[in-house]
Amino acid sequence: GEDVEQSLFLSVREGDSSVINCTYTDSSSTYLYWYKQEPGAGLQLLTYIFSNMDMKQDQRLTVLLNKKDKHLSLRIADTQTGDSAIYFCAEESMDSSYKLIFGSGTRLLVRP
Amino acid sequence: DAGVTQSPTHLIKTRGQQVTLRCSPKSGHDTVSWYQQALGQGPQFIFQYYEEEERQRGNFPDRFSGHQFPNYSSELNVNALLLGDSALYLCASSSGTGRPLREQYFGPGTRLTVT
């Protein structure tokens, strides 16, 4: 079945890099996504990667995809206190291009 | 340009009651999806509406129903509320053509509490 797994919590010091990891099960996924959710807010799309890519960089964000291991990671360079939030990994459903399957989220805490 | 808007922001209902949540999509978008996010969990897909019809449905009971109006706004209705329906309900809008999920925008959500 479809399942996306993430570690629950990550704490880093301001200025360090953060790496949030995710594993997914659907080998036919075409796109994989990273969303950010701040307290009391909806979801903000940060970036996405097509499954035939290994890496995508967007300013401070770097996405790495290991399709063989079905492993996705999000690296945030020079992490700031404003980056503290919950980060969700998501894949497009294998039976539909209209819905996303989300992980349970990783809470990132950035310490001053 | 207003993004996706949802109303109300918060709602408290009693078990067994019915509730209606509303969503207005981002300007230029014609597709609305609804997700349920329980506390501490990721969002789960409920259904998607396009051209006023339900195009795709997730694993939710028939107590969950929806509607899309000609102006593309949408309602989510939940009947016979259960305590387990307490969650943040998120609406997302996109364009129905092409690859919609890459240009999908989420609203701030409606927090439903069932007592």
Side-chain angles (χ1 to χ4, degrees):
Chain A
E2 300 163 322
D3 195 17
V4 177
E5 295 190 356
Q6 301 178 238
S7 52
L8 288 179
F9 183 74
L10 176 66
S11 177
V12 301
R13 194 174 296 279
E14 189 174 20
D16 288 349
S17 291
S18 305
V19 179
I20 301 171
N21 296 301
C22 168
T23 58
Y24 61 98
T25 56
D26 179 16
S27 59
S28 65
S29 288
T30 52
Y31 285 90
L32 295 140
Y33 301 78
W34 284 103
Y35 281 85
K36 176 183 180 182
Q37 186 174 41
E38 295 179 90
L43 296 172
Q44 175 192 356
L45 176 62
L46 290 176
T47 187
Y48 57 85
I49 187 168
F50 188 50
S51 58
N52 70 350
M53 298 171 65
D54 297 324
M55 185 183 83
K56 179 180 180 181
Q57 187 152 3
D58 184 0
Q59 299 182 337
R60 292 191 299 122
L61 305 179
T62 302
V63 178
L64 295 178
L65 175 60
N66 181 328
K67 200 170 180 181
K68 174 176 171 289
D69 295 336
K70 297 179 187 173
H71 183 265
L72 182 73
S73 68
L74 174 69
R75 179 177 180 269
I76 306 173
D78 187 25
T79 313
Q80 302 297 307
T81 54
D83 294 323
S84 292
I86 301 175
Y87 291 80
F88 291 95
C89 164
E91 63 173 345
E92 287 187 5
S93 169
M94 61 185 292
D95 63 353
S96 167
S97 61
Y98 303 127
K99 69 178 184 181
L100 293 171
I101 308 297
F102 285 87
S104 296
T106 299
R107 182 177 295 276
L108 174 64
L109 175 65
V110 182
R111 310 185 308 273
Chain B
D1 174 29
V4 180
T5 60
Q6 293 187 242
S7 64
T9 307
H10 295 88
L11 201 54
I12 299 175
K13 288 286 189 179
T14 303
R15 212 169 17 172
Q17 286 188 318
Q18 178 265 345
V19 69
T20 297
L21 311 181
R22 296 177 176 81
C23 171
S24 291
K26 181 179 167 62
S27 177
H29 284 179
D30 57 8
T31 302
V32 173
S33 300
W34 287 93
Y35 286 80
Q36 180 195 65
Q37 185 179 14
L39 196 62
Q41 300 296 316
Q44 285 195 298
F45 178 82
I46 303 174
F47 42 52
Q48 183 183 88
Y49 276 84
Y50 173 65
E51 292 188 339
E52 301 181 50
E53 292 197 359
E54 184 182 289
R55 177 158 72 173
Q56 184 80 26
R57 188 178 181 93
N59 189 24
F60 278 80
D62 292 344
R63 297 186 298 108
F64 290 77
S65 63
H67 188 77
Q68 186 178 34
F69 299 94
N71 67 353
Y72 309 123
S73 67
S74 176
E75 288 182 349
L76 164 65
N77 301 292
V78 186
N79 294 323
L81 285 166
L82 303 174
L83 295 179
D85 295 331
S86 294
L88 181 67
Y89 287 84
L90 295 165
C91 169
S93 76
S94 57
S95 173
T97 58
R99 297 293 299 185
L101 295 181
R102 297 203 303 279
E103 290 86 38
Q104 181 170 245
Y105 291 84
F106 281 82
T110 293
R111 172 73 62 186
L112 172 65
T113 302
V114 182
T115 62

